[in-house]
């Protein structure tokens, strides 16, 4: 490296700060509650070749891990050297790097003195992108039924988007909530503009060549740190298994198996033995599998001082059988891909726990509960999507966190007050922790929570995808499993059990109780510290007698 260490430190932190500022701009200017409040989005800075350099660590790990994959699909069709000011790449195709159609990725080139020095990138989950049902089509048999497909493409902001340009009008004509979806895409462009401005300012101060060198060193630093952590693990082979509850059609579990091979400072992750792809939307495209693995490796083996960028992927190779749950063949539907992705995360977590017991963590509830309520009135759709929480797994040192988003999602709680302000066809009547839902152990698993939704209009539709309704988060080192989740509709004197993957027509007056599960406990429950147990009793965190 020819760049002096002080400049390297300043520029690298400035790039990370720019990525975080982009994220703040995105969710503070967003229109939909899932982005504005839930923060289901991510931002980042890429170098001129599309390698991820700096990514927002406050938003969604699952979304940032595949930025480079999607970028390369776009650049293969529209080479970087052909881009001009105002051009941008856009894609939501799940078999070209995007995770599912609801995640639209945008890449904006950053020019300095007429040359491209990098790209700013923003991805957001959109409330509705068309398809066979509002927000969530749980009956889709291929991904075409899940929404509007945007292949790897190049457009221009001035001619194709601004002032009701043709791309904007085309997307708006294919979705049910255009004011929110188009508004959120505008927020993505605003975030990318912030990233471009910050990188340009750095180039003005330090020169473009210096900034490019700093980008390359950031990637190299992450690779060195990840390789050093891998090298500290004893060489060998480590295996683990978990399962998705079912595919929504039968009760048959879908196994997810992994074999980790450590050799020196190289790590190979192989998902041979994982279930074949399924007919429903539980499949995870390979980009999602890559993101899940890298997020787990990064979290377990390094600290917060190591940026999540292209360097992590250079130390890890990942394979999954073609046609499997974690690498399906198109046109398999993939809307609910997070459940399989979380199981991929969990089995890698278990295997790394065998290889490095000091950093072992029990699996948590670790699933995305995609909960969608939609209503059509006076020719206008209203779509509400919420991603619910769950309990984290315990570790050798600490209890699991209570009622937080899973480690791949990192979404925040949507405030009840904001929901009341935005939606009038239902209301929240209860929201609380679930006592006793965390797995018992020397350190207990985190608790899940319960929310109650009262339906106030006729014609409301519930769509849900979730997991761990049947197979709980397992404990570790003698710890107990967490509680499973559930969804129940109270209709007068009738109680209706909703499956973890379901689609239900609701009636005015229905009360939905959606309960998330807890994380696995760690260690023998008999060894739990008496003071910790007393605090749990005092706070009402244990199951009632």
């Amino acid at each position: 490296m020819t760049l002096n260490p002080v400049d390297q430190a300043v520029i690298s932190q400035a790039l990370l700060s720019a990525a975080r500022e982009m994220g703040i701009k995105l969710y503070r200017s967003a229109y939909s509650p899932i982005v504005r409040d839930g923060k289901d989005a991510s931002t980042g800075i890429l170098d001129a070749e599309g390698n991820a350099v700096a990514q927002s660590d406050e938003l969604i790990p699952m979304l940032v891990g595949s930025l480079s994959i999607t970028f390369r699909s776009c650049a293969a069709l529209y080479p970087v050297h052909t881009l001009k000011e105002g051009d941008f790449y856009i894609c939501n195709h799940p078999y070209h790097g995007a995770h599912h159609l609801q995640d639209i990725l945008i890449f904006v080139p950053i020019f300095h003195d007429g040359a491209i020095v990098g790209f700013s990138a923003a991805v957001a989950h959109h409330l509705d992108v068309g398809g066979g049902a509002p927000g969530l089509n749980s009956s889709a048999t291929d991904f075409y039924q899940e929404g509007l497909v945007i292949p790897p493409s190049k457009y221009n902001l001035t001619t194709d988007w601004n002032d009701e340009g043709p791309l904007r009008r085309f997307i708006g004509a294919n979705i049910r909530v255009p004011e929110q979806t188009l508004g959120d895409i505008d927020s993505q462009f605003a975030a990318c503009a912030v990233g471009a401005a910050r990188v340009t300012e750095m180039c003005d101060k330090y020169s473009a060549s210096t900034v490019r060198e700093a980008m390359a060193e950031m990637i190299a630093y992450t690779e060195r740190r990840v390789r050093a952590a891998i090298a500290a693990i004893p060489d060998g082979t480590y295996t683990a298994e978990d399962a998705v509850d079912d595919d929504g059609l039968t009760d048959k579990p879908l196994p997810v198996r992994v074999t980790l091979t450590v050799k020196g400072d190289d790590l190979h992750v192989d998902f041979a033995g994982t279930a074949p792809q399924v007919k429903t939307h539980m499949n995870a495209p390979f980009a999602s599998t890559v993101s899940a693995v890298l997020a787990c490796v990064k979290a377990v083996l390094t600290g917060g001082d190591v940026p999540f960028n292209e360097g992590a992927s250079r130390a890890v190779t990942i394979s999954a059988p073609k046609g499997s749950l974690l690498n399906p063949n198109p046109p398999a539907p993939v809307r609910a891909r997070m459940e399989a992705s979380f199981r991929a995360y969990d089995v890698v977590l278990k295997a790394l726990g065998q290889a490095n017991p000091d950093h072992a963590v029990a699996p948590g509830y670790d699933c995305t509960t995609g909960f969608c309520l939609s209503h059509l009135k006076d020719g206008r759709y209203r779509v509400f999507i919420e991603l619910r929480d769950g309990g984290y797994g315990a570790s050798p040192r600490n209890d699991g966190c209570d009622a937080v988003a899973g480690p791949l999602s990192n979404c925040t709680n949507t405030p009840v007050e904001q929901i009341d302000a935005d939606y009038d066809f239902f209301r929240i009547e209860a929201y609380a922790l679930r006592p006793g839902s965390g797995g018992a152990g020397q350190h207990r698993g985190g608790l899940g929570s319960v929310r109650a939704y009262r339906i106030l209009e006729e014609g409301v539709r519930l769509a849900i995808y979730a997991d761990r309704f049947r197979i709980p988060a397992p404990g570790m080192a003698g710890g107990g499993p967490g509680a499973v989740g559930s969804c129940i509709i109270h209709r007068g004197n009738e109680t209706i059990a909703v499956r973890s993957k379901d689609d239900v027509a609701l009636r005015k007056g229905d009360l939905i109780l959606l309960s998330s599960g807890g994380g696995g406990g760690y260690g023998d429950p008999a060894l739990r510290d008496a003071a910790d147990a007393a605090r749990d009793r005092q706070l009402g965190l244990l199951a009632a007698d």
Side-chain angles (χ1 to χ4, degrees):
M1 185 177 70
T2 59
L3 187 62
N4 77 71
V6 174
D7 285 346
Q8 174 64 43
V10 171
I11 295 172
S12 62
Q13 290 304 308
L15 289 167
L16 290 168
S17 177
R20 296 183 186 113
E21 186 183 355
M22 290 171 65
I24 294 169
K25 169 63 79 173
L26 200 166
Y27 65 73
R28 285 190 176 175
S29 60
Y31 283 61
S32 73
I34 198 168
V35 178
R36 181 191 64 219
D37 303 307
K39 298 181 175 61
D40 194 349
S42 268
T43 52
I45 304 291
L46 286 66
D47 67 15
E49 288 73 44
N51 299 303
V53 175
Q55 302 178 95
S56 174
D57 51 13
E58 298 173 351
L59 296 177
I60 311 301
M62 186 65 179
L63 297 182
V64 301
S66 66
L67 287 180
S68 299
I69 299 174
T70 312
F71 176 92
R72 291 184 184 111
S73 293
C74 296
L77 292 171
Y78 309 97
V80 170
H81 71 268
T82 66
L83 301 180
K84 61 181 185 295
E85 292 275 4
D87 285 349
F88 63 90
Y89 293 143
I90 185 170
C91 179
N92 75 339
H93 199 303
Y95 292 98
H96 287 280
H99 294 276
H100 57 188
L101 297 179
Q102 286 66 31
D103 293 335
I104 298 177
L105 292 95
I106 291 172
F107 304 88
V108 173
I110 303 171
F111 287 87
H112 187 264
D113 291 339
I116 293 177
V117 295
F119 288 80
S120 53
V123 52
H125 179 110
H126 294 272
L127 269 183
D128 184 84
V129 290
L136 171 58
N137 183 13
S138 58
S139 63
T141 56
D142 58 46
F143 77 92
Y144 301 108
Q145 301 171 49
E146 297 183 308
L148 177 68
V149 180
I150 306 173
S153 306
K154 180 194 76 170
Y155 291 98
N156 186 272
L157 196 62
T158 300
T159 59
D160 298 313
W161 187 260
N162 292 342
D163 300 321
E164 295 301 313
L167 176 63
R168 183 186 185 94
R169 288 187 292 108
F170 176 74
I171 293 177
N174 283 276
I175 53 183
R176 297 175 179 85
V177 287
E179 68 281 357
Q180 291 188 320
T181 298
L182 297 177
D184 285 350
I185 295 175
D186 284 338
S187 299
Q188 291 178 250
F189 282 122
C192 288
V194 167
R198 297 297 171 263
V199 173
T200 301
E201 290 165 4
M202 288 179 235
C203 291
D204 289 339
K205 183 174 182 179
Y206 294 99
S207 82
S209 61
T210 299
V211 172
R212 283 195 292 264
E213 186 176 359
M215 289 178 172
E217 173 54 25
M218 282 184 71
I219 294 171
Y221 172 75
T222 296
E223 181 180 0
R224 290 196 301 271
R225 289 290 301 272
V226 172
R227 286 192 180 278
I230 295 171
I233 300 173
D235 283 2
T237 299
Y238 307 90
T239 62
E241 181 176 346
D242 207 325
V244 175
D245 279 353
D246 54 69
D247 63 0
L249 298 176
T250 73
D251 291 337
K252 184 179 179 181
L254 309 175
V256 175
R257 299 186 176 97
V258 74
T259 299
L260 302 189
T261 303
V262 179
K263 186 175 183 180
D265 62 359
D266 288 316
L267 174 64
H268 180 64
V269 181
D270 183 12
F271 289 100
T274 292
Q277 67 185 68
V278 295
K279 295 180 180 179
T280 60
H281 61 172
M282 305 305 296
N283 304 289
F286 189 60
S288 295
T289 301
V290 170
S291 293
V293 171
L294 294 179
C296 186
V297 170
K298 166 69 175 65
V300 173
L301 297 185
T302 69
D305 61 322
V306 180
F308 190 2
N309 63 30
E310 199 76 19
S313 64
R314 293 178 179 177
V316 183
T317 57
I318 303 165
S319 62
K322 194 64 176 166
S324 70
L325 189 67
L326 297 177
N327 190 8
N329 292 309
V334 294
R335 174 65 172 84
R337 96 289 185 199
M338 283 296 288
E339 314 307 349
S341 300
F342 263 122
R343 293 306 148 260
Y345 181 99
D346 283 343
V347 294
V348 174
L349 184 71
K350 290 180 182 180
L352 288 173
Q354 300 168 25
N356 193 355
D358 290 341
H359 290 81
V361 180
Y365 185 58
D366 293 354
C367 75
T368 290
T369 302
F371 180 81
C372 178
L373 297 172
S374 61
H375 187 229
L376 175 62
K377 184 178 182 180
D378 299 329
R380 178 173 178 247
Y381 275 102
R382 304 292 301 281
V383 180
F384 168 77
I385 294 180
E386 185 174 30
L387 304 179
R388 287 295 311 284
D389 53 50
Y392 257 48
S395 74
R397 291 168 292 281
N398 295 295
D399 293 344
C401 297
D402 300 325
V404 288
L408 287 178
S409 64
N410 201 36
C411 292
T412 58
N413 172 61
T414 305
V416 173
E417 298 83 354
Q418 190 63 57
I419 295 173
D420 284 345
D422 287 343
Y423 299 94
D424 59 6
F425 63 90
F426 72 95
R427 67 169 177 256
I428 307 293
E429 293 196 349
Y431 185 29
L433 292 175
R434 286 182 67 195
S437 54
Q442 182 179 3
H443 298 285
R444 67 164 176 80
L447 305 184
S449 71
V450 60
R451 256 188 174 177
Y453 308 77
R454 178 75 68 180
I455 304 304
L456 305 177
E457 299 274 0
E458 296 291 351
V460 178
R461 172 182 172 272
L462 162 65
I464 184 174
Y465 70 84
D467 203 46
R468 294 217 188 279
F469 276 31
R470 296 174 53 240
I471 303 174
M476 185 173 284
V484 296
S486 67
C487 185
I488 298 171
I489 300 172
H490 292 282
R491 179 176 293 164
N493 295 325
E494 185 181 6
T495 299
I496 304 168
V498 178
R499 295 173 299 152
S500 60
K501 296 85 179 171
D502 215 341
D503 190 327
V504 182
L506 301 174
R507 298 179 186 173
K508 183 178 180 179
D510 284 354
L511 183 68
I512 306 168
L513 294 182
L514 179 59
S515 301
S516 62
Y522 188 97
D524 185 349
L527 299 178
R528 184 157 179 79
D529 183 82
D532 291 338
R535 185 185 69 249
D536 286 346
R537 287 192 295 272
Q538 180 184 12
L539 296 176
L541 303 182
L542 302 180
D545 293 337

